[in-house]
Amino acid sequence: MTDRGLDSEAVVSRTRRRLAVLVVLILAGFSGLLGRLHQLQVREHARFQTLAEDNRQAFVPIVPHRGQILDVHGEALARNVRAYTLEIDPAQVRNLDDTIERLSRIVTIEESDRKRFLRQMRDQRGLGSVAIRQHLTDEEVARFVAWKFAFPGVEVQARLFREYPQGEATAHVVGYLGRINEQDQERLEAEGLTGAYRGTDYIGKEGIELQYETLLHGTTGWERLEVNAAGRAVRRLDRREAVSGKDLVLTIDARLQRFVLDAFAGRRGAFVALDPRDGSVIAMVSSPSFDPKLFLDGLSQADWERLALSEDRPLFNRALRGTYPPGSTFKPFMATLGLTSGKRQPGQRFDRQGMFEYSGVKLYDKKSSCQSGVDLHRALTFSCNVYFYTLGNELGIDAISSFMSKLGFGQRTGIDLPNEAPGVLPSREWKRQRFKKASQQQWFGGETLSTSIGQGYNAYTPLKMAHALSILVNGGVIRKPHVLAATIDPVTGERTPVSGEVTGFVKLDPAHVDAVLRAMVDGARIGTSARAFAGAAYSVGGKTGTAQVFSLQGRKYDPSATDEDLRDHSWYIAFAPADEPRIVAAIIVENGGPGGRTAAPLMRQIFDYYFSSHEGSGEGDGR
């Protein structure tokens, strides 16, 4: 065989081998295709059928109506009102930008309106109509209707919006709604509520609107739509109606709220009133206040600067978060401790009470009624400091802080409102944790004296002072303050009441409590607040308080020569009627001076209004 023949056979052999490899590869490829086809058509048929179905369908959320908030008499504090909106259905508009530009020549469309529109359109995936303008005026509606023929896919719709009829009077209690921001989104995701808020723009930010957001929001509904390849809705396949949020009835009296805010007349301060029988909050006012509707569509820069940068801090809820030295309003609780500890007896008298000397420092009480023959009753009636200096020195800070903690001082009351401040009950342990330097951590006896008359490190909210007084009035029973009175089912109309909750009990001798409360009644009859309550048609017990804002360091206090923001705070706590209390209250007027001069007369105005607006004055002769 020639070399040429051998070469031919080698070529044929290589060709055959290549063809065999090619055939194997082709067979392997077909096998892979067949396997993949089997996987797609058989094993994963259900999954891809679902995906295809999802591409053919779209879910559009139906936002529920938010529940109303009512006062104890059924007066609206937060409600939904109808207003006109200008809405665009993107699926029916050829050129969206051009449509919006032409619309802006007929009605005012701000940049914020455009941003909100685009955000909501993304959320809805372009399905259904989206508002480009809210709260149209009648004139704007009329102008659009005249040009409606030029805007296919654009309609005027009547929608529900939040309204706060009481305005500033209930702003700090009711709170307000605001647009859902990134922080809200993160919280909703963490709580697994993202789906429940699809299509919802607003969420509770403060007060009851925040505290009971879940009840008020309701349950989001949906529409299941069939869409074409272009993503446009073809027909509705299914629908689940939204369920409105529950209406909430509060314990708050809106009429009293309005009266109290007007009585403050713009002065800085707060008022809290509780019903000691069940812990319900009758009124809670912080002055000055603000209009909650400003937050619904986002504050303008001017409004934000006016509210946030104001020295009067209208956004700050002084009743719930403001902490102040209680001054002499602390003395009824010190007197109760003196009796409970056995350090004092109700009729025990002391002479030469005009001065107390401690470590070479002389502390004076120049009131004639506090010079001699001072017992617990006289000490409370006329607010004798030296009596309480002496008592505090005998008790020591450990006994004081231990007893006061049982009454809840330095702790949150647990009220159903967000962001309550706990206040400060001073103690050795508190001071060790509060200060870093060892020299600052030591507790000094002089600090005990300041604590015993409600000064020093003491700092409590008006809510806490009213709550502590309610514990005393109730003989040691601790009832948690609450603002929610009942819920109303939006479907059945069923009203479910919310009862007061007893959270503890402080063991107090009824005779001791009676001695303290009788002295407070005489405080309003012949003592430090007698002028304020002269001629009242109801019996009342109360205690004035004047809290220093800064240390005098031995200097004589002169209000006229002191800047206003450094003047003393004016306090008053009270209960009425004295024989069967239906209301306990605390009021503070920042930098208002002596409690008997400012806070007590203001309390008199409020109590007069409260009892005149309720049948029967509940007169009594005291305890």
Side-chain angles (χ1 to χ4, degrees):
M1 184 176 294
T2 64
D3 291 340
R4 188 173 181 179
L6 291 173
D7 290 343
S8 297
E9 289 182 8
V11 170
V12 171
S13 178
R14 284 197 302 272
T15 301
R16 287 175 178 172
R17 286 198 301 273
R18 290 173 179 172
L19 287 173
V21 170
L22 182 61
V23 169
V24 170
L25 291 175
I26 291 172
L27 291 174
F30 274 109
S31 297
L33 289 173
L34 289 172
R36 180 60 175 164
L37 187 63
H38 179 268
Q39 180 183 11
L40 295 176
Q41 294 290 335
V42 179
R43 288 188 292 173
E44 297 191 27
H45 170 75
R47 183 170 77 88
F48 282 102
Q49 185 178 37
T50 300
L51 291 174
E53 196 69 16
D54 287 345
N55 286 333
R56 189 178 67 87
Q57 299 178 16
F59 285 85
V60 177
I62 302 173
V63 180
H65 292 170
R66 192 172 181 86
Q68 296 185 95
I69 302 175
L70 311 171
D71 88 329
V72 69
H73 303 296
E75 196 170 342
L77 307 179
R79 65 189 177 194
N80 305 313
V81 294
R82 290 194 176 276
Y84 291 113
T85 66
L86 187 62
E87 301 186 5
I88 301 174
D89 186 345
Q92 298 181 33
V93 174
R94 292 183 178 180
N95 190 323
L96 190 59
D97 292 335
D98 177 67
T99 298
I100 295 175
E101 182 62 33
R102 289 188 294 117
L103 280 172
S104 66
R105 299 169 192 165
I106 299 175
V107 299
T108 302
I109 298 177
E110 304 287 352
E111 184 61 30
S112 58
D113 296 320
R114 295 172 187 258
K115 290 180 179 179
R116 182 184 65 248
F117 172 81
L118 293 174
R119 182 176 64 251
Q120 189 171 346
M121 189 175 68
R122 285 195 300 269
D123 292 343
Q124 294 185 196
R125 296 170 59 187
L127 298 170
S129 61
V130 182
I132 185 66
R133 249 296 305 280
Q134 298 176 344
H135 302 287
L136 293 176
T137 65
D138 290 341
E139 182 183 348
E140 287 175 321
V141 171
R143 279 205 307 268
F144 171 76
V145 170
W147 286 92
K148 185 181 182 304
F149 68 90
F151 295 96
V154 183
E155 297 283 349
V156 169
Q157 299 285 355
R159 301 291 185 187
L160 291 178
F161 293 91
R162 204 61 161 175
E163 182 183 67
Y164 299 101
Q166 309 304 323
E168 296 184 0
T170 58
H172 286 104
V173 175
V174 174
Y176 53 86
L177 298 183
R179 292 194 174 279
I180 295 176
N181 55 31
E182 291 184 9
Q183 185 177 357
D184 297 320
Q185 289 281 15
E186 291 174 0
R187 178 171 60 83
L188 292 173
E189 289 176 7
E191 296 175 1
L193 296 174
T194 303
Y197 279 79
R198 282 192 62 195
T200 300
D201 288 334
Y202 297 93
I203 196 169
K205 296 287 187 176
E206 278 290 351
I208 290 293
E209 293 276 33
L210 171 60
Q211 181 75 22
Y212 292 106
E213 168 64 31
T214 303
L215 290 178
L216 289 165
H217 177 261
T219 304
T220 301
W222 46 260
E223 279 188 333
R224 186 161 59 94
L225 305 176
E226 182 179 354
V227 297
N228 59 22
R232 296 188 176 183
V234 176
R235 62 191 177 101
R236 185 170 70 193
L237 301 175
D238 198 3
R239 179 185 177 94
R240 187 183 73 181
E241 295 295 338
V243 178
S244 299
K246 291 186 177 182
D247 290 343
L248 305 185
V249 181
L250 305 189
T251 60
I252 293 291
D253 184 333
R255 292 173 294 181
L256 182 59
Q257 291 277 135
R258 293 194 296 267
F259 181 86
V260 173
L261 188 62
D262 289 343
F264 266 100
R267 288 175 291 187
R268 297 184 302 275
F271 171 82
V272 177
L274 307 175
D275 187 333
R277 298 169 296 183
D278 62 4
S280 59
V281 179
I282 300 171
M284 178 182 286
V285 174
S286 179
S287 175
S289 189
F290 63 95
D291 191 343
K293 75 178 182 182
L294 294 172
F295 289 86
L296 289 174
D297 290 315
L299 285 174
S300 67
Q301 186 64 29
D303 285 335
W304 171 249
E305 291 178 357
R306 178 174 57 83
L307 293 174
L309 303 181
S310 170
E311 293 182 356
D312 290 336
R313 304 173 70 192
L315 296 178
F316 184 62
N317 188 345
R318 290 168 164 84
L320 190 68
R321 303 177 196 174
T323 56
Y324 309 86
S328 293
T329 60
F330 198 61
K331 289 176 181 175
F333 310 104
M334 282 293 298
T336 306
L337 170 56
L339 296 173
T340 301
S341 67
K343 296 289 185 181
R344 294 290 184 272
Q345 299 300 322
Q348 183 181 6
R349 293 177 174 241
F350 295 87
D351 291 325
R352 296 187 299 279
Q353 284 282 292
M355 188 270 289
F356 177 74
E357 185 173 356
Y358 181 83
S359 297
V361 177
K362 295 181 179 180
L363 303 170
Y364 293 94
D365 203 332
K366 297 183 178 180
K367 301 172 194 169
S368 59
S369 53
C370 297
Q371 297 298 310
S372 62
V374 179
D375 60 3
L376 181 141
H377 188 94
R378 180 181 288 264
L380 276 178
T381 299
F382 298 100
S383 199
C384 302
N385 280 347
V386 168
Y387 181 93
F388 291 97
Y389 285 141
T390 306
L391 175 60
N393 188 52
E394 293 179 29
L395 289 167
I397 191 59
D398 295 333
I400 294 173
S401 61
S402 175
F403 180 78
M404 296 303 169
S405 67
K406 295 176 183 177
L407 294 177
F409 285 105
Q411 306 163 40
R412 295 178 177 86
T413 65
I415 190 173
D416 53 340
L417 286 172
N419 305 315
E420 178 188 4
V424 174
L425 172 62
S427 66
R428 297 181 194 276
E429 180 59 28
W430 171 84
K431 198 175 182 188
R432 279 194 291 266
Q433 295 181 2
R434 172 65 176 80
F435 297 101
K436 295 181 180 180
K437 295 181 180 180
S439 60
Q440 296 175 315
Q441 293 175 339
Q442 182 181 354
W443 186 267
F444 299 98
E447 294 172 326
T448 302
L449 302 185
S450 294
T451 300
S452 65
I453 61 166
Q455 295 290 165
Y457 298 116
N458 276 312
Y460 310 111
T461 65
L463 171 63
K464 179 60 239 176
M465 296 308 297
H467 182 234
L469 181 57
S470 73
I471 296 172
L472 203 58
V473 165
N474 285 327
V477 177
I478 303 174
R479 288 187 169 88
K480 183 164 67 173
H482 65 98
V483 181
L484 183 62
T487 61
I488 301 176
D489 189 280
V491 178
T492 64
E494 180 182 0
R495 182 184 177 115
T496 304
V498 175
S499 58
E501 180 183 352
V502 175
T503 58
F505 180 77
V506 183
K507 188 176 181 181
L508 300 175
D509 188 323
H512 295 163
V513 173
D514 187 68
V516 171
L517 297 183
R518 280 183 177 275
M520 293 181 70
V521 170
D522 266 0
R525 188 176 66 87
I526 60 173
T528 55
S529 57
R531 180 176 297 179
F533 282 92
Y538 47 88
S539 59
V540 61
K543 183 69 193 77
T544 55
T546 306
Q548 287 184 1
V549 174
F550 74 107
S551 175
L552 294 173
Q553 297 181 339
R555 293 172 295 171
K556 184 178 180 180
Y557 176 66
D558 181 4
S560 62
T562 305
D563 291 341
E564 182 183 355
D565 61 344
L566 296 179
R567 294 173 190 169
D568 294 341
H569 296 322
S570 186
W571 273 102
Y572 196 70
I573 60 173
F575 59 91
D579 51 352
E580 293 183 3
R582 302 199 308 268
I583 183 172
V584 297
I587 192 169
I588 185 169
V589 180
E590 289 185 7
N591 314 117
R597 186 182 303 166
T598 306
L602 191 53
M603 185 75 83
R604 168 66 186 274
Q605 292 180 48
I606 296 169
F607 272 23
D608 280 355
Y609 176 84
Y610 175 77
F611 284 111
S612 67
S613 62
H614 291 71
E615 288 187 10
S617 64
E619 291 183 49
D621 58 358
R623 288 174 178 265

